[in-house]
Amino acid sequence: MQYADWGERAARWSGIRSETVDVHGTKVHYLVTGWTRTSEVPVHLLVPNPANSASNWLDVLAELRPHAHAIAVDLPGTIAGHTALPNRRAAGIETSARFLRDFAAALELDRVTVHGWSAGGMIALLFADQAPERVDGLVLAAPALPPPLSAGEARRWRTLGRVGLAIAAPVALALLRVSGRRILAAQLRVLDDPASIAGSKWNTGGDLTRMSPEIAGLLRDEMSAVEPTRLGSAVTVYASLMSLMFVRRRPLLDAMRRVASPTLLVWGDEDRIVPRASIDDWTAQRPDWNLVPLHGVGHAPPLEVPADYARTVIDWCGPRAHDR
């Protein structure tokens, strides 16, 4: 969905606009809170999980609006977004990071605090590594990054895991042709009754009943409009994600060690996707990263506790803003 002013949809989103910009011939949709190129206030660039759309950030955008100009981008080929996939090879984590660099250039974003949620965290990290001149700070919200592996586990992933992913992706695409509508229907049932997620395979921890009624209604409406054919790009992205986390780990591990931007790691202590062992491993590698655990929160801080998430980021940015 797109609105010239999202206040038409919900009063809490008043002043947030849908805009588009051309990036190498692709019409890219993004949400923005009143930003102009001449503005002096901080700019935040918000990257969703590439299977989802920029609208997942709406409640956070509303919370950030009094303190900064914020932009949430629809990555190419997202399930519910409005940015088309320029070609089949454009779906993937590394291509999304390159796209983000081109998007920032198209909007002339010189210095931003970039947020990445879930797999969007991997994209944001690669972007910060590739374009350090554009990044003032990096916020990783429940990010998908390489977990700790033993030497034996790493060897098995490089061999058996590589073969498994090569087989799994085309099989998953074939299954989607048959069961895509059933998958979408199951997700709709969860959105209709978020409390039911606690005992389901969709449980990512935390409490999705805390979502605002406005964002819950929007997610239902967006999912209702999705065609099963759009699920194919999610399979490609997921295969790319799994490869970077477990098989081709070196590019991401190198980026984690190399990234120079001040980094905030926001993690819900009930997250069932990102375990505490991974958090401890990452902060051991990068003790300079600031970790803020959110109590009773799962894998979706921007949906569950948007005000707490935004306040955490604003408080972290405050001292750094005075240092610049």
Side-chain angles (χ1 to χ4, degrees), residues 258-282:
R258 204 166 43 220
V259 68
S261 308
T263 299
L264 173 65
L265 184 57
V266 181
W267 174 72
D269 64 3
E270 293 186 2
D271 192 333
R272 295 184 61 178
I273 305 297
V274 179
R276 181 75 208 205
S278 290
I279 296 295
D280 291 342
D281 181 65
W282 303 337

Side-chain angles (χ1 to χ4, degrees), residues 2-262:
Q2 301 182 55
Y3 291 92
D5 187 325
W6 276 79
E8 298 174 37
R9 174 82 192 202
R12 66 191 291 132
W13 300 332
S14 179
I16 300 172
R17 308 188 311 273
S18 286
E19 299 279 1
T20 59
V21 64
D22 183 273
V23 178
H24 299 317
T26 297
K27 187 179 180 181
V28 177
H29 172 251
Y30 61 98
L31 305 178
V32 60
T33 62
W35 173 79
T36 66
R37 291 183 179 85
T38 58
S39 298
E40 296 297 326
V41 298
V43 177
H44 290 238
L45 175 58
L46 281 58
V47 185
N49 184 324
N52 299 323
S53 69
S55 61
N56 281 211
W57 287 106
L58 273 163
D59 279 348
V60 172
L61 289 170
E63 296 290 340
L64 288 175
R65 183 177 50 208
H67 308 276
H69 288 318
I71 298 164
V73 60
D74 266 348
L75 297 169
T78 55
I79 292 174
H82 298 284
T83 301
L85 198 63
N87 58 72
R88 293 174 62 185
R89 289 174 296 181
I93 298 298
E94 290 161 301
T95 51
S96 291
R98 291 192 291 270
F99 158 82
L100 196 61
R101 186 177 57 195
D102 293 338
F103 173 76
L107 287 186
E108 300 179 13
L109 302 179
D110 293 327
R111 302 294 296 176
V112 300
T113 295
V114 60
H115 304 226
W117 171 17
S118 191
M122 187 183 289
I123 294 168
L125 175 73
L126 290 172
F127 167 70
D129 181 54
Q130 294 168 7
E133 73 284 356
R134 293 192 183 275
V135 179
D136 260 344
L138 174 63
V139 182
L140 301 174
L145 297 176
L149 296 179
S150 69
E153 289 171 330
R155 281 194 301 271
R156 284 192 292 274
W157 271 106
R158 286 195 299 269
T159 53
L160 300 176
R162 188 185 301 273
V163 174
L165 285 176
I167 295 171
V171 169
L173 288 170
L175 289 174
L176 282 177
R177 298 188 187 101
V178 177
S179 57
R181 291 195 182 279
R182 287 200 295 272
I183 292 171
L184 291 172
Q187 291 183 316
L188 272 174
R189 286 194 294 273
V190 167
L191 290 171
D192 286 336
D193 181 15
S196 69
I197 200 172
S200 78
K201 63 183 178 181
W202 307 102
N203 186 8
T204 60
D207 183 5
L208 286 178
T209 64
R210 290 190 289 185
M211 285 191 296
S212 69
E214 295 89 346
I215 200 73
L218 176 63
L219 293 178
R220 283 194 298 271
D221 289 349
E222 287 187 336
M223 191 58 61
S224 297
V226 170
E227 290 296 324
T229 53
R230 299 198 68 173
L231 296 175
S233 62
V235 172
T236 305
V237 169
Y238 184 72
S240 168
L241 171 74
M242 292 294 288
S243 178
L244 283 168
M245 287 181 68
F246 295 102
V247 179
R248 294 189 306 109
R249 291 160 58 88
R250 182 56 52 197
L252 205 56
L253 291 171
D254 287 346
M256 288 176 67
R257 284 191 284 267
R258 204 166 43 220
V259 68
S261 308

Side-chain angles (χ1 to χ4, degrees), residues 300-315:
L303 295 180
E304 293 179 66
V305 288
D308 291 346
Y309 173 86
R311 174 50 55 191
T312 297
V313 173
I314 292 161
D315 289 347

